Amino acid sequence: MLESRLMPWRTFARRFAAVVVVLALFLAGAPAVQAAPAGEQLSTNVVTTPSHPWVLVNKSRPLNPLQFVPSDLVQWNGTSHMLRRSVSGAINQLFSGARAAGHALEVVSGYRSYATQSSLYNYYVQTYGQAYADQISARPGYSEHQTGLAVDVGNVGGGCGLTACFGDTPGGRWVAANAHRYGFIIRYPQGYTHITGYTYEPWHLRYVGVQLAVDMKSRAIPTMEQFFSLRPSIRSSADVLAADSSGALWNYPANRSGGYGSRVKIGAGWTGLKSGFVADWNSDGINDIVAQWNTGRLTVYRGKGSGGFLSPIVVGSNGWQSMNITVGKWHNGHRYPGVVGTAADGSMLYYPNPGGGVLGTAQRIGSGFQGMKLTMADFDNDRRQDLLVTKSTGELLLFRSDGAARFVTEARQKVGNGWNTVAQSHASFGFQGAGTRGLTAKTTDGRLFYYSLGTNQFTGSRQVGDGWGPLSVFR
């Protein structure tokens, strides 16, 4: 968050003042829109009622019903911006406080309907690709703006509007320091993308009521997910998963600046694994694990928002031990990721995932791929997943996709040499910061490398780990 560092006595004074505010609210009788119903005050139980100011909406927790419309929407100050009645009053008070401190602020965006959010999200997907779109925009039904409790603010005149630099303006700094006094939090603070799923948005305010906002501020709890103790086991598409020889499954969390934090054990019993993959198999916003076993089965472990995984489901019953596979959204028109694999006879097959569960009937999409290793990634940055195919000679060839489960008809471009020393590789998104793309690769001698991607080329590589030889790194 964009708080300045305070001397200890000032920190004490701030927290004492926060307590006084809460006590004053109790004594004065806080309005219903600012206090939770009896028995829920400062509870960490997740609120699911869509009209409640504490409702938690994120990538894994949609509104229920999905097309919820608040019943108390009002136009804000005669503009086209719509907000819940309580939020409209609270934002006016916040703006008055800002003006008294010498800062002129305005509403940039408020309530968005399900249909509006759908159009916006689809635009971002078409413009930036789904992976990046999911970091900057919510899917319809999963948007805080649909609650009527979220409001984007900016400086009058448009300086740094809807960009991260708003947080460095005098008005942005004032908002970060004072929003809680009016019942708002900075919903997507800096440094917490791995928890919220969204990049830093200092302009995006979420109304939760004075009581909760003050409590979060005084206890230095930056996100609603942390307040409600929601932390999925795989929080970033840049994390690395690895199974060791004892069957323990580890997550190495990416720190978003080109490194990893301390590993966390997230499972056991992973012996007998041929290969593993991270994918949002049922498109609920939480990363899942696809496991290919030496027994020939293909199973999926669906991630839980609170951490851990549900019991595995079998999505492919037999014969998978003889295939080299990769997992991802091979067909842009399909909602769920699928599987592309090479059979023993060299055939390349695409297995669609029609319902977020068991795989559908295989489609033959190529031949002549005996023994070749596959990695799915959008190499040319055209919002369509491609295949990087490693030949036995070590050449890395690019097979570009047309986005409809077919290859572009063209001569295959060689994009690398010496890849016969690479045992496992997978696409990585956000490893070096928001919007960055690359491949993470484990070599046969146990080193871990990161290859950064530009458009249709690698832009650099560097070693990011050592001693990974005994580990089966997920692709």
Side-chain angles (χ1 to χ4, degrees), residues 40-214:
E40 289 186 7
Q41 300 210 8
L42 302 186
S43 167
T44 56
N45 295 327
V46 177
V47 176
T48 59
T49 304
S51 59
H52 197 290
W54 290 12
V55 63
L56 180 59
V57 182
N58 60 24
K59 290 184 177 182
S60 62
R61 302 189 67 87
L63 285 163
N64 184 17
L66 204 62
Q67 298 194 30
F68 167 74
V69 178
S71 61
D72 58 346
L73 290 171
V74 296
Q75 284 185 307
W76 178 74
N77 287 6
T79 70
S80 61
H81 300 300
M82 304 289 288
L83 296 170
R84 295 272 299 274
R85 188 178 303 278
S86 56
V87 180
S88 180
I91 202 68
N92 282 337
Q93 293 176 13
L94 183 147
F95 285 175
S96 294
R99 282 195 300 272
H103 311 294
L105 302 174
E106 62 183 353
V107 171
V108 178
S109 181
Y111 167 74
R112 294 181 200 146
S113 68
Y114 179 92
T116 299
Q117 188 63 31
S118 181
S119 297
L120 182 64
Y121 176 76
N122 290 336
Y123 167 78
Y124 283 129
V125 170
Q126 293 175 7
T127 305
Y128 301 111
Q130 186 167 349
Y132 189 51
D134 281 337
Q135 289 202 26
I136 61 175
S137 181
R139 301 180 185 192
Y142 293 73
S143 171
E144 285 210 325
H145 280 284
Q146 193 178 327
T147 67
L149 299 167
V151 53
D152 294 337
V153 302
N155 295 304
V156 172
C160 286
L162 299 184
T163 59
C165 66
F166 172 73
D168 295 322
T169 66
R173 289 193 294 268
W174 185 91
V175 168
N178 295 278
H180 63 288
R181 304 179 189 278
Y182 304 91
F184 294 93
I185 62 172
I186 307 294
R187 181 63 179 93
Y188 308 125
Q190 190 169 30
Y192 293 89
T193 301
H194 62 292
I195 293 176
T196 66
Y198 295 99
T199 53
Y200 173 45
E201 294 188 1
W203 65 86
H204 182 106
L205 302 185
R206 164 61 195 273
Y207 183 78
V208 294
V210 172
Q211 185 183 0
L212 180 56
V214 167

Side-chain angles (χ1 to χ4, degrees), residues 131-394:
Y132 189 51
D134 281 337
Q135 289 202 26
I136 61 175
S137 181
R139 301 180 185 192
Y142 293 73
S143 171
E144 285 210 325
H145 280 284
Q146 193 178 327
T147 67
L149 299 167
V151 53
D152 294 337
V153 302
N155 295 304
V156 172
C160 286
L162 299 184
T163 59
C165 66
F166 172 73
D168 295 322
T169 66
R173 289 193 294 268
W174 185 91
V175 168
N178 295 278
H180 63 288
R181 304 179 189 278
Y182 304 91
F184 294 93
I185 62 172
I186 307 294
R187 181 63 179 93
Y188 308 125
Q190 190 169 30
Y192 293 89
T193 301
H194 62 292
I195 293 176
T196 66
Y198 295 99
T199 53
Y200 173 45
E201 294 188 1
W203 65 86
H204 182 106
L205 302 185
R206 164 61 195 273
Y207 183 78
V208 294
V210 172
Q211 185 183 0
L212 180 56
V214 167
D215 185 61
M216 289 177 65
K217 186 76 168 181
S218 65
R219 292 199 286 151
I221 301 176
T223 71
M224 293 182 75
E225 284 79 9
Q226 288 166 294
F227 183 85
F228 292 115
S229 300
L230 290 185
R231 291 177 65 88
S233 294
I234 310 169
R235 296 186 290 274
S236 164
S237 55
D239 290 3
V240 170
L241 266 65
D244 65 22
S245 57
S246 72
L249 183 62
W250 301 92
N251 183 51
Y252 294 77
N255 61 15
R256 298 281 179 171
S257 58
Y260 300 99
S262 299
R263 70 178 188 175
V264 179
K265 186 177 180 181
I266 60 173
W270 287 79
T271 54
L273 181 72
K274 179 175 181 180
S275 60
F277 305 84
V278 175
D280 185 1
W281 191 254
N282 56 349
S283 295
D284 66 350
I286 301 177
N287 284 314
D288 310 310
I289 294 177
V290 181
Q292 181 189 17
W293 300 99
N294 291 326
T295 60
R297 291 200 306 171
L298 193 69
T299 59
V300 170
Y301 295 75
R302 290 166 295 180
K304 298 191 296 184
S306 56
F309 302 89
L310 298 173
S311 298
I313 58 172
V314 177
V315 299
S317 57
N318 58 69
W320 291 88
Q321 74 276 14
S322 62
M323 298 188 70
N324 290 327
I325 69 173
T326 185
V327 176
K329 203 156 189 181
W330 181 242
H331 195 305
N332 281 12
H334 292 172
R335 178 179 179 184
Y336 305 104
V339 176
V340 174
T342 58
D345 65 358
S347 299
M348 182 175 286
L349 305 171
Y350 168 53
Y351 293 82
N353 169 17
V358 177
L359 290 171
T361 304
Q363 304 170 15
R364 190 172 184 270
I365 60 174
S367 60
F369 291 90
Q370 288 93 336
M372 296 185 186
K373 290 181 289 189
L374 310 176
T375 300
M376 193 181 299
D378 179 11
F379 190 82
D380 58 359
N381 200 25
D382 67 349
R383 320 308 173 204
R384 297 187 285 250
Q385 295 296 307
D386 308 309
L387 288 183
L388 294 170
V389 178
T390 304
K391 299 178 65 175
S392 59
T393 59

Side-chain angles (χ1 to χ4, degrees), residues 362-437:
Q363 304 170 15
R364 190 172 184 270
I365 60 174
S367 60
F369 291 90
Q370 288 93 336
M372 296 185 186
K373 290 181 289 189
L374 310 176
T375 300
M376 193 181 299
D378 179 11
F379 190 82
D380 58 359
N381 200 25
D382 67 349
R383 320 308 173 204
R384 297 187 285 250
Q385 295 296 307
D386 308 309
L387 288 183
L388 294 170
V389 178
T390 304
K391 299 178 65 175
S392 59
T393 59
E395 292 179 309
L396 187 66
L397 301 181
L398 171 63
F399 286 72
R400 295 197 306 131
S401 161
D402 68 353
R406 298 182 297 263
F407 295 118
V408 174
T409 302
E410 62 184 4
R412 304 307 169 200
Q413 179 184 353
K414 183 173 71 174
V415 296
N417 286 305
W419 280 72
N420 48 347
T421 64
V422 173
Q424 297 163 313
S425 64
H426 64 269
S428 178
F429 191 88
F431 180 67
Q432 293 183 311
T436 59
R437 307 181 309 117

